Amino acid sequence: MCSSDLSPVLAMALSGKCESQVSAAQIFCDLSMQQNMIEVLCTDECVSALVQLCRVDFDCCNQHAICALANLSSARNCQEVILRDESFLQHLIQLCRDGCFRTAEMRRECARTLANLSSARANAVTMLQTVDQYEMSEWLDSVDAIKDDRLRLHAGRAKDALHAAA
């Protein structure tokens, strides 16, 4: 499969129609779990579409899009696209906190994404320069108090990488 084969999925993602967007997010999530699809999905178009799907006002769509991004976030091309979107980085930071049970998995995947992004020192430096300093500092101070074990594990990885880059 090549990136042009994904054009119908991209069209669904960008359609503005909730049902199509949810379906696109589910397809991206399924494809992101296949190792041979990572390079195809880590294009500017696909990653940007996933970032947009994370902002749709529907939890199911957000969860699938975040899961796909978490699966792709260890790939350098994916990291480059995400790091260019300051508002999305701030969004990730806000979601890497304790919250209701219904969104627990999405928040864990946000923390995994953040940990993968910050694992490269240059990326961590970029994040520290990009994200609002007050928000970043507040989040870093809150990580050790996170109650959800998996969320705290990934958030702790991100915190360690960010502190090392500071």
Side-chain angles (χ1 to χ4, degrees), residues 16 56 61 131:
V56 171
C61 186
V131 175

Side-chain angles (χ1 to χ4, degrees), residues 1 4-15 20-21 23-29 31 41 46 49 53:
M1 181 178 271
S4 64
D5 293 336
L6 292 174
S7 57
V9 182
L10 284 167
M12 291 166 58
L14 304 175
S15 71
S20 294
Q21 290 174 313
S23 294
Q26 290 170 329
I27 292 167
F28 279 132
C29 185
L31 292 174
L41 292 171
C46 288
L53 290 171

